[in-house]
Amino acid sequence: DAGITQSPRHKVTETGTPVTLRCHQTENHRYMYWYRQDPGHGLRLIHYSYGVKDTDKGEVSDGYSVSRSKTEDFLLTLESATSSQTSVYFCAISESEVYYEQYFGPGTRLTVT
Amino acid sequence: GEDVEQSLFLSVREGDSSVINCTYTDSSSTYLYWYKQEPGAGLQLLTYIFSNMDMKQDQRLTVLLNKKDKHLSLRIADTQTGDSAIYFCAERASKIIFGSGTRLSIRP
């Protein structure tokens, strides 16, 4: 398995609080991604990174920000969590081309009450 | 806009073949992927096919691509209980779009 960890694995938070999810990789892959998975929607891309300090928006980026200060870490921040952001969040990585052969982390289940 | 459609459920008897179907809309897709998700886990890349190919076989897995109809299928031969999972189809063009997943259940 690709070396991808996500923390925390589970989190319950209240509406309006900030939340940061962390993705850590040991593969030295260039590309990193954050997805959310919701019933009936499959996976939807939130943001992705194509290098340190280089990020771009996906299809559902509103309400989320990201940062990548090191190759191995990609952070997803919900500045003010809302109930609509209750979801399972997956980090993924890929090596050579954007979106090519992505390897996924185990996921973080976030509940916003 | 771009879309990827899959049926939600498939039930197959153990030992039979499973065929999971997917349709997509973006004719500029370069790669098409099949991912497997087991309970509580992330997605695992099973196989992929380049858009200029019609078929790809990898052990028990056969991928068929009909580019004219924008139809992709995954056949799993001799389906086993360990194949129970959700299978996601995805297309890659300028971005990657995932289907909603097909839940495969195995009957004894």
Side-chain angles (χ1 to χ4, degrees):
Chain A
D1 289 344
I4 311 169
T5 56
Q6 293 184 230
S7 58
R9 294 293 314 279
H10 301 271
K11 186 168 181 68
V12 180
T13 192
E14 293 184 349
T15 298
T17 58
V19 177
T20 295
L21 308 183
R22 180 180 184 240
C23 177
H24 180 79
Q25 61 144 329
T26 58
E27 305 296 321
N28 201 36
H29 283 6
R30 177 182 176 185
Y31 299 94
M32 298 185 75
Y33 314 81
W34 277 107
Y35 291 90
R36 59 177 290 173
Q37 183 179 31
D38 303 291
H41 287 279
L43 270 77
R44 292 180 291 174
L45 182 66
I46 305 171
H47 284 280
Y48 72 98
S49 170
Y50 47 97
V52 173
K53 292 187 170 43
D54 293 322
T55 65
D56 205 352
K57 294 179 180 179
E59 64 178 306
V60 290
S61 59
D62 287 348
Y64 301 95
S65 62
V66 289
S67 65
R68 191 169 177 199
S69 58
K70 297 186 287 186
T71 299
E72 56 266 35
D73 289 325
F74 192 32
L75 303 181
L76 177 71
T77 298
L78 291 66
E79 300 290 349
S80 177
T82 68
S83 58
S84 65
Q85 294 175 311
T86 292
S87 187
V88 180
Y89 292 85
F90 288 99
C91 174
I93 64 174
S94 62
E95 184 177 19
S96 57
E97 299 175 38
V98 68
Y99 306 128
Y100 182 66
E101 286 198 46
Q102 295 180 59
Y103 297 93
F104 284 79
T108 294
R109 183 173 294 276
L110 176 67
T111 302
V112 183
T113 60
Chain B
E2 300 94 342
D3 198 12
V4 176
E5 300 271 349
Q6 300 178 243
S7 54
L8 289 180
F9 300 101
L10 178 65
S11 177
V12 172
R13 194 187 309 273
E14 187 175 2
D16 287 352
S17 292
S18 306
V19 179
I20 303 170
N21 294 300
C22 169
T23 58
Y24 60 97
T25 57
D26 192 337
S27 56
S28 64
S29 295
T30 53
Y31 291 94
L32 294 119
Y33 303 94
W34 284 105
Y35 284 87
K36 176 183 181 183
Q37 185 181 32
E38 296 182 1
L43 275 67
Q44 172 194 358
L45 179 64
L46 274 182
T47 187
Y48 64 91
I49 189 167
F50 191 54
S51 58
N52 68 354
M53 299 169 65
D54 298 324
M55 185 181 88
K56 180 178 180 180
Q57 188 150 2
D58 183 2
Q59 299 182 327
R60 291 192 299 123
L61 305 179
T62 303
V63 178
L64 294 178
L65 175 60
N66 181 329
K67 205 171 177 184
K68 173 177 167 289
D69 295 336
K70 299 190 183 71
H71 182 266
L72 183 73
S73 67
L74 174 69
R75 178 176 179 268
I76 305 172
D78 186 24
T79 309
Q80 302 298 309
T81 54
D83 296 322
S84 292
I86 302 175
Y87 291 82
F88 290 90
C89 166
E91 64 163 344
R92 173 197 167 196
S94 59
K95 53 186 175 181
I96 189 165
I97 303 291
F98 286 84
S100 300
T102 298
R103 184 179 296 274
L104 176 64
S105 63
I106 314 302
R107 307 191 301 273

